[in-house]
């Protein structure tokens, strides 16, 4: 129940309103704190501290002050000072711990720049505060108040209500008397009251004049737990969750996530959780990222969807061009779809049809690895090799050639497996269309990681025997292994590259299958030859998703994401070593920001815990108590935070994971 008080303009009476709200709340017995993070000239902060009899350290109440009455970005620049946002957040943290209600007064209005690329609205968002809008009364007030309300909402801020101030205006015409009603109606937010013009600002006078005019009780309402209860009930009644034993789910208390912010997810009760698996491996630059938010919103203003069947759209075109630019050489054409599974299926179908089209109809087999995962639709399940997920559908799968491959923990004979691959190709390449792999990291199998050189050798063998090489970078793409794509580590240029998950920064479902000119040209025939690629999903090339993806790519450059990732990967590597101290941690695997910690019942024999003990799930349940979200793969604990995570947050993630592992495996 902390609030940010902003005005529809400068000088509308924010400070007086803050004072009045503070007084009335104090009157009701609340321990109210105030803050004026940034002030350019004037004595607002001093006034508030004195009038409300506040005892906090003044440098926390007003951490940034400068003397010229200008917009902060300009005033501070001219004074050769900078506004340090993290210092504001720290001061706020300190103050809010000492008070049960905080009133934070802004500088000017919402869209006032505090520094480069940072507005007052950004500060409100970072402070995670609800907004109280202060408006004057009179002609023009409706427009200004509605502009502020809409803009705040557009920024994802919650507007608690509007308070009118008569501070500089004593006129009482028709406009003034109609303002509150009009703003409630057109703004859709409550009017909390009106602060009358007062000459005498003494405590008793103000309380007497304002106490019936302002609804401060509205500010004290806690977010209702009722709402959460209803959602939980409805979820359990209506929603069937993926990869979930619903019998367990319905006996459990589901966590309902309502907001995201940076590395954190926030539930319906306002509790914050570190997103340790990037919301199932998709988030890249953090939740609620300004640039992606903006890109999607701007695109909505133009066009939400139009089809790629027979038409095109700018974001889909621009994204295709960018993807070709950043992916390994030779990948020149982009085919869109909506999920990792479809990205892989499209590659499989393209590879298969390619050979048909060019007159090699015997090349019909797909080779894949035993412990691979490429998605959950039947086509991608057919090339999946994880019995736990895939065995039950065995009669529905198409014929494939499955190649055993070591997990590199219990079995390390990779050379033998590669020799087997070469032998297979040597004998049967005339009937093999393609070989599909997850390059370097086999995610869903339990974060199995290959030693250096394996991927390269696979690519070489494919080249040698003219088998099309499909790399499924749905999980590894977009920086997850430390470089933009895993193929880059070994300078591999596949015939197909499948992308999804991180492509939109974790915002919207989108996938892309990239391929070569050679494959593309294998589909260029006369219309009547029926060699067209007859495949397309209704939402293929969706403009909103493509706009999000374009913004995602831009942020990599703007924030130098991969450069900043390198030291965090080093830190992770160093910190993970201590996990071997735990008696039930058998293996710790890491490649970039992909981590698998395998729990075993017996370390020396590498005996796994029985499946039904659900050790991984227990650990992930435990970490929630300390505000961390994880999702395991059987007995493997997965850590895959957003690339944008800070070092402090990363430390927290590791500390909490270690703590939970110690507790759960020590039992
Ligand atoms: C997640 C994943 C898929 C499937 O992606 P969906 O979007 O869930 O269909 C395919 N391949 C790999 C390597 C994955 O990690």
């Amino acid at each position: 129940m902390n609030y940010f008080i902003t005005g529809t303009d400068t000088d509308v009476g924010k400070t007086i309103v803050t004072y009045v709200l503070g007084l009335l709340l104090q009157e009701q017995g609340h321990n109210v704190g105030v803050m004026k993070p940034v002030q350019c000239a004037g004595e607002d902060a001093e006034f508030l501290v004195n009038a409300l009899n506040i005892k906090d350290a003044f440098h926390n109440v007003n951490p940034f002050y400068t003397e010229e009455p200008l917009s902060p970005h300009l005033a501070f620049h001219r004074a050769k000072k900078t506004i340090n946002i993290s210092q504001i957040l720290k001061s706020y943290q300190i103050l809010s711990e000492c008070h049960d209600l905080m009133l934070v007064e802004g500088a000017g209005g919402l869209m006032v720049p505090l520094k480069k690329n940072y507005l007052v609205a950004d500060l409100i968002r970072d402070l995670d505060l609800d907004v109280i809008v202060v408006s004057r009364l009179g002609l023009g007030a409706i427009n200004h108040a509605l502009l502020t309300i809409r803009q705040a909402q557009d920024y994802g801020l919650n507007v608690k209500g509007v308070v009118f101030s008569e501070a500089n205006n004593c006129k009482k015409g028709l406009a003034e008397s109609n303002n509150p009603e009009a703003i409630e109606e057109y703004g859709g937010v409550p009017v909390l009251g009106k602060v009358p013009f007062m000459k005498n600002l003494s405590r008793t006078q103000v309380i007497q004049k304002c106490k019936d005019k302002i609804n401060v009780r509205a500010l004290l309402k806690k977010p209702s737990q009722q709402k959460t209860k209803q959602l939980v009930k409805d979820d359990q009644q209506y929603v069937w969750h993926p990869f979930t034993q619903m019998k367990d789910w319905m006996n459990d208390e589901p966590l309902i996530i309502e907001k995201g912010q940076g590395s954190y997810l926030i539930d319906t009760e306002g509790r914050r959780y570190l997103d340790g698996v990037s919301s199932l491996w998709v988030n890249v630059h953090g939740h609620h990222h300004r640039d992606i938010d903006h890109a999607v919103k701007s695109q909505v203003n133009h066009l939400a969807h139009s089809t790629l069947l027979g038409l095109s759209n700018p974001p889909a075109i621009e994204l295709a061009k960018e993807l070709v630019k950043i992916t390994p050489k030779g990948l020149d054409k982009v085919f869109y779809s909506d999920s990792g599974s479809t990205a892989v299926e499209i590659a499989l179908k393209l590879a298969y049809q390619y050979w048909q089209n060019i007159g090699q109809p015997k090349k019909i087999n797909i080779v894949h690895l035993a412990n691979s995962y490429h998605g959950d639709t039947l086509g991608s399940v057919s090339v999946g090799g994880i019995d736990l997920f895939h065995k039950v559908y065995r009669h529905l799968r198409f014929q494939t050639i499955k190649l055993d491959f070591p997990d590199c923990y219990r079995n390390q004979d990779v050379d033998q497996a590669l020799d087997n691959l070469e032998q297979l190709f040597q004998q049967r390449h005339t009937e093999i269309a393609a070989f599909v792999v997850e390059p370097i990291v086999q995610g869903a199998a339990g974060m199995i990681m290959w030693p250096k050189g394996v991927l390269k050798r696979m690519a070489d063998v494919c080249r040698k025997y003219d088998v099309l090489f499909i790399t499924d970078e749905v999980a590894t793409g977009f920086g997850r292994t430390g470089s933009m794509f895993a193929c880059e580590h070994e300078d591999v240029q596949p015939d197909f590259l499948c992308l999804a998950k991180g492509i939109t920064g974790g915002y919207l479902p989108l996938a892309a299958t990239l391929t070569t000119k050679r494959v593309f040209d294998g589909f260029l025939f006369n219309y009547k030859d029926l060699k067209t690629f007859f495949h397309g999903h209704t939402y293929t090339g969706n403009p909103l998703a493509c706009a999000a993806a374009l913004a995602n790519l831009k942020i990599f450059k703007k924030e130098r994401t991969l450069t900043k990732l390198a030291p965090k990967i080093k830190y992770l590597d160093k910190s993970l070593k201590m996990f071997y101290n735990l008696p039930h941690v058998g293996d710790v695997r890491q490649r970039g920001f992909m981590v698998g910690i395998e729990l075993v019942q017996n370390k020396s024999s590498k005996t796994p815990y029985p499946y039904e003990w659900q050790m991984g799930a227990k650990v992930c349940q435990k970490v929630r108590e300390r505000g961390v979200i994880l999702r395991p793969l059987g007995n493997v604990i997965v850590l895959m935070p957003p690339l944008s995570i800070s070092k402090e947050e990363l430390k927290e993630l590791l500390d909490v994971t270690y703590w939970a592992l110690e507790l759960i495996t020590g039992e």
Side-chain angles (χ1 to χ4, degrees):
M1 285 187 307
N2 295 336
Y3 298 98
F4 194 97
I5 294 157
T6 192
T8 54
D9 203 342
T10 195
D11 266 342
V12 287
K14 281 194 305 293
T15 309
I16 294 296
V17 169
T18 307
Y19 168 54
V20 170
L21 292 176
L23 259 192
L24 295 177
L25 288 161
Q26 281 181 340
E27 264 304 286
Q28 301 209 348
H30 291 279
N31 176 2
V32 180
V34 294
M35 187 174 183
K36 172 97 186 177
V38 175
Q39 185 167 338
C40 303
E43 292 179 347
D44 299 350
E46 284 89 340
F47 167 76
L48 288 172
V49 163
N50 291 330
L52 291 169
N53 198 15
I54 301 267
K55 300 285 182 240
D56 299 303
F58 193 73
H59 65 263
N60 284 330
V61 174
N62 177 217
F64 293 97
Y65 178 86
T66 187
E67 268 150 30
E68 274 189 287
L70 291 168
S71 171
H73 76 286
L74 184 58
F76 279 82
H77 178 74
R78 282 166 57 86
K80 299 199 168 45
K81 293 194 238 179
T82 44
I83 297 173
N84 180 342
I85 302 301
S86 49
Q87 197 175 324
I88 294 180
L89 300 182
K90 249 181 230 153
S91 291
Y92 171 76
Q93 182 75 28
I94 292 168
L95 294 176
S96 61
E97 276 165 20
C98 305
H99 299 280
D100 52 58
L101 204 147
M102 285 290 296
L103 300 173
V104 180
E105 188 190 331
L110 272 188
M111 294 289 109
V112 167
L114 293 178
K115 57 195 287 185
K116 197 162 178 243
N117 283 323
Y118 201 89
L119 309 177
V120 167
D122 293 304
L123 179 62
I124 306 177
R125 190 152 94 169
D126 286 344
L127 289 167
D128 197 20
L129 294 172
D130 284 0
V131 176
I132 295 171
V133 174
V134 179
S135 170
R136 63 183 177 81
L137 286 159
L139 214 53
I142 297 176
N143 179 46
H144 277 109
L146 294 186
L147 282 173
T148 297
I149 293 166
R150 290 279 160 84
Q151 187 61 34
Q153 289 168 341
D154 196 45
Y155 243 75
L157 305 172
N158 182 31
V159 179
K160 190 73 182 179
V162 178
V163 178
F164 290 98
S165 161
E166 287 184 340
N168 301 315
N169 175 8
C170 299
K171 242 174 46 186
K172 290 215 169 69
L174 201 53
E176 287 76 10
S177 60
N178 173 257
N179 281 165
E181 201 182 309
I183 286 163
E184 249 179 11
E185 180 177 348
Y186 296 102
V189 299
V191 168
L192 300 170
K194 183 165 74 178
V195 172
F197 180 73
M198 295 176 286
K199 271 207 184 102
N200 183 339
L201 286 178
S202 78
R203 206 178 171 93
T204 40
Q205 280 284 323
V206 170
I207 289 169
Q208 202 194 347
K209 280 205 155 172
C210 297
K211 73 171 188 289
D212 300 325
K213 294 218 166 84
I214 313 261
N215 177 12
V216 284
R217 253 185 306 165
L219 302 181
L220 299 172
K221 263 205 207 124
K222 287 208 172 88
S224 93
Q225 298 194 341
Q226 213 51 42
K227 193 178 113 200
T228 304
K229 280 215 183 92
Q230 187 63 44
L231 284 168
V232 165
K233 197 165 153 256
D234 290 347
D235 177 283
Q236 288 176 325
Q237 186 166 353
Y238 299 113
V239 184
W240 189 340
H241 288 263
F243 277 99
T244 302
Q245 178 43 259
M246 291 306 288
K247 190 175 167 195
D248 293 341
W249 181 268
M250 289 185 302
N251 291 325
D252 219 11
E253 185 83 346
L255 186 57
I256 302 173
I257 300 300
E258 193 174 42
K259 283 200 229 176
Q261 196 181 41
S263 307
Y264 286 87
L265 294 166
I266 300 159
D267 74 5
T268 43
E269 301 291 304
R271 283 181 297 244
R272 294 164 66 84
Y273 301 87
L274 200 48
D275 186 356
V277 288
S278 297
S279 294
L280 242 310
W281 316 359
V282 297
N283 194 280
V284 179
H285 305 293
H287 295 278
H288 203 350
H289 190 290
R290 186 155 54 133
D291 295 1
I292 310 182
D293 289 3
H294 181 71
V296 175
K297 285 180 197 165
S298 310
Q299 184 56 41
V300 156
N301 289 337
H302 295 294
L303 171 71
H305 184 68
S306 146
T307 180
L308 277 204
L309 279 70
L311 296 171
S312 200
N313 69 68
I317 299 166
E318 286 162 30
L319 178 62
K321 188 172 169 184
E322 283 304 309
L323 287 174
V324 166
K325 245 190 246 169
I326 63 165
T327 48
K329 227 174 75 198
L331 297 166
D332 295 332
K333 301 286 173 182
V334 179
F335 195 100
Y336 289 114
S337 60
D338 329 312
S339 75
S341 311
T342 56
V344 172
E345 289 215 21
I346 286 162
L348 296 175
K349 283 178 75 176
L350 281 172
Y352 178 92
Q353 192 178 341
Y354 168 76
W355 296 115
Q356 306 290 309
N357 278 2
I358 67 158
Q360 296 207 45
K362 278 206 226 124
K363 278 172 89 75
I364 56 171
N365 287 293
I366 308 283
V367 179
H368 67 97
L369 300 181
N371 35 24
S372 55
Y373 175 83
H374 297 289
D376 296 327
T377 56
L378 280 174
S380 52
V381 161
S382 296
V383 292
I386 301 174
D387 280 350
L388 176 65
F389 308 156
H390 299 145
K391 203 171 174 181
V392 55
Y393 307 111
R394 62 192 175 280
H395 297 307
L396 294 177
R397 294 163 68 168
F398 64 74
Q399 281 284 319
T400 61
I401 302 172
K402 186 157 91 170
L403 190 79
D404 275 328
F405 208 77
D407 68 359
C408 302
Y409 168 46
R410 291 185 179 80
N411 170 2
Q412 293 165 354
D413 201 354
V414 176
D415 287 330
Q416 182 60 52
L418 288 169
D419 289 346
N420 294 346
L421 176 73
E422 175 137 19
Q423 210 174 12
L424 171 72
F425 282 10
Q426 198 179 20
Q427 288 165 0
R428 297 179 63 183
H429 66 93
T430 53
E431 43 182 292
I432 294 174
F435 176 40
V436 56
V437 300
E438 298 154 82
I440 302 183
V441 183
Q442 294 183 288
M447 296 290 151
I448 294 172
M449 301 182 189
W450 298 341
K452 205 168 161 44
V454 171
L455 180 66
K456 184 73 182 165
R457 175 120 185 253
M458 287 173 171
D460 289 346
V461 177
C462 283
R463 198 68 70 224
K464 184 168 164 191
Y465 293 99
D466 207 12
V467 168
L468 295 173
F469 192 35
I470 304 173
T471 53
D472 172 358
E473 292 227 31
V474 170
T476 51
F478 301 97
R480 213 58 76 168
T481 64
S483 63
M484 200 60 160
F485 301 104
C487 283
E488 290 171 27
H489 291 295
E490 307 199 0
D491 202 17
V492 160
Q493 291 148 23
D495 299 291
F496 294 93
L497 180 73
C498 306
L499 302 174
K501 287 199 171 101
I503 191 170
T504 59
Y507 268 62
L508 286 161
L510 178 72
T513 307
L514 280 85
T515 190
T516 58
K517 184 167 181 307
R518 174 194 173 191
V519 170
F520 181 76
D521 287 349
F523 287 76
L524 299 181
F525 290 90
N526 291 323
Y527 185 75
K528 67 173 170 39
D529 296 331
L530 297 178
K531 288 180 175 182
T532 303
F533 186 46
F534 292 107
H535 186 115
H537 301 280
T538 312
Y539 278 99
T540 292
N542 175 257
L544 293 177
C546 291
L550 277 165
N552 176 44
L553 294 182
K554 274 200 196 119
I555 299 168
F556 271 98
K557 280 198 201 124
K558 181 172 154 192
E559 296 183 359
R560 296 184 305 120
T561 306
L562 294 179
T563 313
K564 284 197 245 163
L565 190 60
K568 289 187 273 190
I569 291 172
K570 271 212 188 102
Y571 172 75
L572 193 55
D573 177 47
K574 210 179 75 201
S575 313
L576 282 169
K577 296 229 161 42
M578 71 172 193
F579 281 73
Y580 279 114
N581 296 340
L582 292 166
H584 292 282
V585 167
D587 197 22
V588 183
R589 305 185 275 268
Q590 182 214 0
R591 188 77 201 228
F593 251 29
M594 298 177 88
V595 175
I597 302 169
E598 180 158 350
L599 309 179
V600 288
Q601 193 171 17
N602 184 308
K603 206 157 163 167
S604 49
S605 63
K606 303 182 181 176
T607 313
Y609 277 113
Y611 171 72
E612 61 276 14
W613 286 20
Q614 300 192 46
M615 292 305 282
K618 280 181 187 152
V619 171
C620 296
Q621 195 62 40
K622 195 76 196 162
V623 294
R624 279 200 198 169
E625 289 173 21
R626 284 184 56 186
V628 170
I629 299 283
L630 293 178
R631 168 112 187 152
L633 290 160
N635 289 324
V636 177
I637 306 301
V638 176
L639 303 181
M640 211 195 284
L643 306 188
S644 57
I645 194 171
S646 72
K647 210 160 149 190
E648 292 74 36
E649 290 164 346
L650 195 55
K651 183 174 184 311
E652 173 75 4
L653 176 63
L654 290 164
D655 288 350
V656 172
T657 305
Y658 192 92
W659 165 84
L661 283 175
E662 208 170 19
L663 277 175
I664 297 294
T665 61
E667 272 167 6

